[in-house]
Amino acid sequence: MAPSDDAHPDEHPEVLPAQVPQGPSIEQPAKLIRIAAMIREMLEDVRQSKPDEAGRRRVREVYERALTGLKEGVSKDLQDELDTLTIPLDSSSSESEIRLAQAQLVGWLEGLFQGIQAALWSQHMQARAEIEEMRRRRGLPPGPGDGSRREPGQYL
């Protein structure tokens, strides 16, 4: 009778996918990056110049279209967050209100991107820990870059 696979459960540990928290998600990251760059440049231009009424109207239109584009690229949770944080602009919005609205939007986008980076780093570290745990269970040597020193080989 052949030994069952249950006799040594650590020899072939089952690899389970990492738990990914369900929550706000980014559906179109490239689009968000393009919109963020455009808004940042537009904010810088508005800071450096004094737009006339036609210029302010155009900035408001671009701002509204940018908000619409951003909402298309994120989950419902992030859409709701954006709705609660953005300042509505209308025909009577002053230059300073336009600057504040744009700065607020740029800040929100930068926070969003930092959150994405933090989530990616966390996933990377979790995956690395899982790989090291699998190596430990199988009795394999540590992977490269783990900080431990190895003994020199016979050729060193």
Side-chain angles (χ1 to χ4, degrees):
M1 179 175 198
S4 74
D5 287 340
D6 294 336
H8 302 286
D10 287 342
E11 285 184 9
H12 302 287
E14 191 174 312
V15 178
L16 299 174
Q19 292 289 335
V20 178
Q22 295 298 322
S25 66
I26 308 302
E27 297 162 5
Q28 299 176 14
K31 183 176 186 176
L32 294 180
I33 291 169
R34 288 191 306 271
I35 291 171
M38 178 203 60
I39 292 171
R40 183 178 286 127
E41 286 298 317
M42 196 169 71
L43 177 59
E44 197 58 39
D45 287 347
V46 170
R47 282 183 186 156
Q48 293 177 2
S49 66
K50 294 253 185 211
D52 59 4
E53 182 54 39
R56 284 195 299 273
R57 185 173 355 103
R58 180 70 177 141
V59 168
R60 282 191 300 271
E61 290 170 7
V62 171
Y63 175 81
E64 292 300 325
R65 282 191 289 176
L67 280 176
T68 301
L70 287 172
K71 289 177 185 176
E72 291 172 357
V74 297
S75 67
K76 180 71 172 124
D77 291 343
L78 289 173
Q79 289 174 17
D80 294 343
E81 181 180 314
L82 192 55
D83 282 338
T84 63
L85 296 176
T86 54
I87 301 169
L89 298 176
D90 57 23
S91 60
S92 64
S93 297
S94 68
E95 181 182 333
S96 61
E97 288 174 315
I98 292 170
R99 277 194 228 149
L100 284 172
Q102 288 177 319
Q104 185 177 25
L105 189 54
V106 168
W108 183 83
L109 285 165
E110 288 176 358
L112 181 66
F113 295 143
Q114 289 173 359
I116 292 168
Q117 288 175 335
L120 289 173
W121 179 252
S122 175
Q123 289 174 354
H124 168 75
M125 294 307 290
Q126 181 180 3
R128 186 173 178 182
E130 288 173 5
I131 289 170
E132 288 303 318
E133 178 63 19
M134 286 172 40
R135 285 181 180 194
R136 187 190 63 74
R137 284 184 180 175
R138 292 185 180 189
L140 298 174
D146 67 353
S148 66
R149 298 194 61 141
R150 294 185 187 184
E151 295 296 319
Q154 66 186 24
Y155 297 108
L156 294 178

